[in-house]
Amino acid sequence: MAKHISFLVIALVLNFFNTSLAIPVTYNVLSLGAKPDGKTDSTKSLISAWAAACGSPRPATIYVPPGRYFVQQVHFRGACQNKAIMIRIDGTLVAPSDYNALRSVGNWILFEGVNGVTISGGILDGQGTGLWACKTSSKLCPSGATGVKVLASGTSPNTDGIHVQLSSGVTILRSKISTGDDCVSIGPGTANLWIENVVCGPGHGISIGSLGKDLQEAGVQNVTIKTVTFKGTQNGLRIKAWGRPSSGFVQGVLFQHAVMINVQNPIVIDQNYCPHNLNCPGQVSGVKVRDVTYQDIHGTSATQVAVKFDCSRNSPCTGIRLEDVKLTYQNQPAAASCANAGGTSSGLVEPTSCL
């Protein structure tokens, strides 16, 4: 009888232990010393909350209540014991307004070596520092950003809103991004990326690239970008690659349900990217672009050429598909331009396809 009682006690203890591990824990940055006045440095409080959540055996939430929190450069490092961390932002994270405060590190918010992290809500105010507001740059990185607002002046240089590279399985949902550069930039080594319900503007649009800067470079594949709106941006849906030899590639991309409002270059593939004509004049891109679909894209272009496929003569674009595209310029059908691009069109396509 005693043995049966002992077994029952042990089973109850194990059950209680397992249940307790499943109960989420919350780390409020206010409790760790953060001040919501937009002036007091709250960086240490945010890092302390991260350290606790990262080391917790239980699902954890880092909570940023309403208010403005001044934050210096933050580096969220893994690997974490916890694979279920939510960063819930009901307030605003404010970057230093002085460009020099972040120039030496090259980023504001960096996730590295982490997995299973989700960012939800809030505003990331870059204050035009000229640096990325949010950068995921490791093979293990945040699994998603939901309901995030990223703000920087439309005239601030190099202010990519969210940069993703060397990452797989990242999701960006229901976000509003205003920057002086790409709203979202997608770098080498990105796979299985999902972007949905994003509003971009001002900014340079959503860009795959720039790619092909290095001779040996990982490719970009299986990317879905859908239900996006571009307002007064320089570009809409863009793929860009350096005009130089590279082993890089882009394949399996779906651009779907996009609205363009006075966008300078709504649809563009540029494989002759060569800023300042340095290190690439006279060369051609080796990046292979294939199997890219544009489906249900409509709106207005700020320039006459709304669709431009300027592909490499050595590595032409293949498998480009236009389906139900309608873009106008000054209430008239816009124009399309193709070089070294092949593919098909179906449904109503305006401007008339040049593929």
Side-chain angles (χ1 to χ4, degrees), residues 279-299:
N279 303 317
C280 40
Q283 302 183 64
V284 293
S285 177
V287 174
K288 293 178 173 58
V289 179
R290 54 185 179 267
D291 299 329
V292 179
T293 298
Y294 300 87
Q295 187 179 82
D296 184 26
I297 315 296
H298 61 275

Side-chain angles (χ1 to χ4, degrees), residues 291-348:
D291 299 329
V292 179
T293 298
Y294 300 87
Q295 187 179 82
D296 184 26
I297 315 296
H298 61 275
T300 58
S301 174
T303 60
Q304 187 170 6
V305 178
V307 177
K308 184 176 182 180
F309 298 131
D310 186 12
C311 300
S312 167
R313 66 176 183 269
N314 278 12
S315 300
C317 300
T318 61
I320 307 299
R321 289 180 287 274
L322 296 172
E323 303 175 8
D324 300 317
V325 174
K326 186 176 182 180
L327 296 167
T328 61
Y329 169 65
Q330 295 183 350
N331 297 318
Q332 299 293 325
S337 171
C338 292
N340 307 307
T344 61
S345 62
S346 63
L348 175 66

